[in-house]
Amino acid sequence: QVQLVESGGGMVLPGGSLRLSCAASGFPFSSYPMGWYRQVPGIKRELVASITETGSSTYYADSVKGRFTISRDNAKNMVYLQMNSLNPEDTAVYFCNLGLGFSYFLAWGQGTQVTVSS
């Protein structure tokens, strides 16, 4: 059974940092690109970062480029998102799922809430 479990969210001050983690199971993790998405109520879920199967290449949305870093550990079936210089516009629920190159998604996890506020 496919499972994606996100963690690491929380409330931080503007300029702060968080590291999100996603534990994946139930599918051949190392064979798929992975991505981090975020969603604000009433707004379409958006891809913020993606990483290829081996981690050799990454993609970032313009809004997070230079501040967020995606990485993965195929031995542990984990994908991470290091978020620095957070601002209130980064407030959202963050999810992991398949990354760039796929037109379908695995079952979504519960996500992890990130709130940036003073």
Side-chain angles (χ1 to χ4, degrees):
Q1 180 180 355
V2 171
Q3 194 169 19
L4 298 167
V5 180
E6 301 90 350
S7 62
M11 180 176 289
V12 295
L13 295 172
S17 298
L18 283 174
R19 188 190 192 216
L20 307 184
S21 298
C22 170
S25 61
F27 66 102
F29 177 80
S30 62
S31 297
Y32 289 89
M34 294 298 295
W36 280 97
Y37 299 77
R38 66 185 181 188
Q39 186 166 29
V40 176
I43 299 178
K44 184 180 178 181
R45 193 171 297 177
E46 65 167 334
L47 175 68
V48 296
S50 183
I51 188 167
T52 54
E53 294 88 325
T54 62
S56 61
S57 183
T58 55
Y59 158 86
Y60 297 96
D62 287 342
S63 58
V64 307
K65 202 171 293 183
R67 301 186 298 120
F68 290 12
T69 302
I70 188 171
S71 61
R72 67 190 294 163
D73 185 338
N74 285 344
K76 297 181 179 179
N77 284 11
M78 297 288 294
V79 60
Y80 306 98
L81 187 68
Q82 177 67 43
M83 306 187 296
N84 299 328
S85 302
L86 286 161
N87 59 61
E89 290 69 38
D90 297 315
T91 295
V93 180
Y94 285 72
F95 303 84
C96 65
N97 213 297
L98 299 183
L100 283 175
F102 283 83
S103 59
Y104 65 89
F105 297 103
L106 302 174
W108 293 94
Q110 82 288 350
T112 187
Q113 175 72 49
V114 171
T115 302
V116 185
S117 175
S118 57

